[in-house]
Amino acid sequence: MKKILATIVASAILGFGANAQVLDKEQMKNTAWVGVGAPLGGDAMAYGFTDTFQTRFDRGKFTVEAMLNWSFLANYDNEYNVDNFQFGTSNRNPLSLKYGNWGDNTVKAEARAANLGIFGDYNNHANVSNTLQDSYYVNFLYHINKNVDFGVGTKLNWQVGPAPKYGSWLWEHDAHVRQGGFSTSYDDRSGSFAQTSSEDAGTYRYYVHAAGNRPGTADVVGFVPFANKYAKRALGVRFLADNDQLEIGAALPNGFNTDDPVLNTGIKFVPAKWLLLPAAFEGLLDDGTNFYTGATIGFEKLTLDLYFAADSLFTSPDNDQAYGTGAALTFKIPNSSITLRPEFGANFFEDDNYTAALYSGIMFSMDLNKQLGFNIWSSIAFGSKDKRWDDYAETDDWDGGHVFDIRPELTFAYTKNTSFAAYFDFEQRTAFDGKSRKCWATGLFWTYIF
């Protein structure tokens, strides 16, 4: 059981060693899930089944890594009646399914909002887009020597420091809402600079004023991206010092072109065993450049993560900048199997009309015995408000809205290669206009390492 809980804790603590790719060692792994629930604003229904297969092979100087996510999910109409079940590769997962069906769930604000001309309808797609996963990834690495890696892939995951996250990956059993569950139209799966084909590969650009990001266009907004990974869908090269005290890397993101060049760069410096100092630029040379920095201060039973993001640095004419900062503390209670990880964050916007957004959360985990463990995640987030609402008598009682999420889970280590997890995830979202909606999901995960 301790191995499962150690994985949960490790997902919250940035390792000081080389952060290779998605899988940190050679293996084949399968994660299956089946569940039911009530999507946001809908009735209880069967969601269906998802399965994520991952593999990594190391041969000499080469590493090849791949993943495929497929599903057997329910299709349902606008009234949430199940019509059929469909099989195929998918970017959906247990966390995204609780927000409803992509393309169908538009939530109507009160008519008075539309009459003001600056609000209109707010759309649930902003919840879904923040929780989509890759339907697949493929990474190829050539280890030129023990210090230099060359890589090309769709999810290289070259990370330099800590940032708000879902727990592990979206398809893993411990995935929970990120940044308290703020709505956003931003999709950072690939970190691409531009589209290169008809394939959906969300770009890294974050537009504060885009629908789904600004107050009044989604129920609870205030999300800010943290560019702590300088290579996602990209071609990159990195230098790793022998003692893991230094990593320096650069990458050309998907969509790079010679007329409008961009570059991602990152550095990770470990001056002492207990201290990590990272920094990264995403989209350098573009007016939408994003900057990230942070720190990890770690001891045997105590780790402090700090992080800061500044997005769209050079777009001042449109007041499109966004800033995020936060911290997380992971500590193990002495003489016990209990681990706690509280976190807090605040996101600010250059546009003076938008107030700050705040969130906090906590993860609690403990061993019940050698095979059985319990963990729970809970968070609350308060969204950003557009202060111009105060100019209208009809909206005096409007604010940024808030989100509450709670997710208890039991984990069972059946063998060293097989584990199960059962969970219940409940979320209540109260929108800027005071309307509240609930969603929940429950299911069973089965993880097998070959």
Side-chain angles (χ1 to χ4, degrees):
M1 188 62 246
K2 290 183 178 179
K3 290 184 178 180
I4 293 181
L5 293 183
T7 300
I8 297 171
V9 175
S11 70
I13 300 174
L14 176 68
F16 287 164
N19 227 346
Q21 291 74 239
V22 179
L23 291 172
D24 59 0
K25 60 183 178 181
E26 186 175 28
Q27 64 179 232
M28 292 190 294
K29 181 179 180 181
N30 194 78
T31 304
W33 171 85
V34 62
V36 300
L40 199 62
D43 299 324
M45 58 169 290
Y47 286 138
F49 174 87
T50 66
D51 189 88
T52 303
F53 180 77
Q54 300 168 264
T55 183
R56 170 177 168 171
F57 293 101
D58 298 321
R59 293 293 183 271
K61 292 187 175 184
F62 294 91
T63 294
V64 179
E65 184 183 36
M67 177 272 274
L68 183 66
N69 183 64
W70 61 274
S71 62
F72 192 71
L73 297 177
N75 283 325
Y76 48 97
D77 58 27
N78 290 334
E79 296 180 354
Y80 292 99
N81 296 315
V82 177
D83 186 26
N84 57 67
F85 284 82
Q86 185 174 24
F87 168 81
T89 56
S90 174
N91 56 22
R92 305 306 299 272
N93 55 70
L95 195 59
S96 69
L97 286 167
K98 72 175 184 176
Y99 291 128
N101 192 22
W102 179 269
D104 287 341
N105 189 16
T106 299
V107 182
K108 299 293 184 180
E110 294 182 4
R112 63 181 181 179
N115 292 335
L116 295 178
I118 59 172
F119 305 121
D121 299 335
Y122 58 91
N123 198 305
N124 190 38
H125 296 178
N127 297 315
V128 178
S129 64
N130 189 28
T131 52
L132 294 176
Q133 70 176 71
D134 301 277
S135 58
Y136 72 94
Y137 65 73
V138 182
N139 297 322
F140 297 92
L141 275 87
Y142 172 44
H143 310 288
I144 298 174
N145 56 46
K146 64 179 181 179
N147 300 115
V148 180
D149 286 342
F150 172 82
V152 59
T154 61
K155 201 174 189 68
L156 288 175
N157 191 44
W158 288 0
Q159 175 178 310
V160 294
K165 58 193 306 183
Y166 299 103
S168 297
W169 296 101
L170 277 165
W171 57 84
E172 296 284 359
H173 67 88
D174 64 330
H176 56 72
V177 295
R178 179 174 58 163
Q179 295 192 36
F182 287 136
S183 299
T184 179
S185 61
Y186 177 76
D187 176 0
D188 67 354
R189 282 175 293 168
S190 69
S192 297
F193 170 67
Q195 299 287 343
T196 58
S197 68
S198 59
E199 183 180 23
D200 180 13
T203 61
Y204 73 79
R205 288 184 174 91
Y206 175 73
Y207 297 105
V208 172
H209 303 298
N213 293 334
R214 71 179 185 272
T217 60
D219 51 7
V220 184
V221 305
F223 181 90
V224 169
F226 286 74
N228 66 324
K229 298 175 181 178
Y230 64 92
K232 296 179 184 177
R233 183 181 293 239
L235 181 153
V237 62
R238 63 181 179 179
F239 168 81
L240 304 163
D242 289 338
N243 52 13
D244 289 336
Q245 285 189 308
L246 179 67
E247 175 182 341
I248 301 176
L252 299 181
N254 188 68
F256 170 91
N257 68 76
T258 56
D259 288 334
D260 191 14
V262 292
L263 179 70
N264 297 347
T265 62
I267 183 171
K268 179 166 60 177
F269 179 47
V270 185
K273 291 183 178 180
W274 52 270
L275 178 63
L276 180 147
L277 300 173
F281 281 98
E282 185 177 49
L284 200 61
L285 308 178
D286 182 67
D287 62 356
T289 298
N290 302 327
F291 172 71
Y292 160 84
T293 189
T296 293
I297 304 171
F299 301 97
E300 182 178 359
K301 298 182 182 296
L302 183 68
T303 300
L304 174 64
D305 288 330
L306 304 169
Y307 31 83
F308 171 80
D311 294 306
S312 301
L313 287 180
F314 308 118
T315 55
S316 56
D318 297 324
N319 287 324
D320 207 33
Q321 293 96 333
Y323 308 94
T325 187
L329 181 67
T330 305
F331 62 94
K332 184 176 176 62
I333 297 178
N335 303 316
S336 76
S337 64
I338 296 175
T339 299
L340 295 172
R341 178 178 165 84
E343 67 177 71
F344 170 81
N347 297 334
F348 307 90
F349 306 96
E350 187 76 11
D351 192 320
D352 293 335
N353 293 306
Y354 300 163
T355 63
L358 306 172
Y359 70 91
S360 64
I362 187 168
M363 184 274 292
F364 168 94
S365 68
M366 67 178 297
D367 289 331
L368 300 179
N369 56 43
K370 291 183 178 180
Q371 290 182 294
L372 191 64
F374 172 78
N375 69 82
I376 185 170
W377 160 268
S378 185
S379 65
I380 188 167
F382 298 92
S384 175
K385 176 185 177 180
D386 189 335
K387 291 185 292 186
R388 289 173 295 185
W389 294 352
D390 297 332
D391 296 335
Y392 299 88
E394 295 90 340
T395 63
D396 285 345
D397 58 344
W398 287 20
D399 57 26
H402 59 271
V403 184
F404 172 74
D405 183 83
I406 187 167
R407 188 188 186 283
E409 179 185 61
L410 283 173
T411 53
F412 175 63
Y414 180 64
T415 68
K416 67 177 182 178
N417 293 329
T418 303
S419 62
F420 299 91
Y423 77 101
F424 179 79
D425 188 358
F426 172 82
E427 188 171 323
Q428 177 168 319
R429 307 182 67 93
T430 301
F432 57 89
D433 58 0
K435 289 187 176 181
S436 292
R437 293 178 295 151
K438 301 174 183 178
C439 59
W440 60 268
T442 186
L444 179 68
F445 285 88
W446 171 32
T447 301
Y448 182 75
I449 298 176
F450 293 84

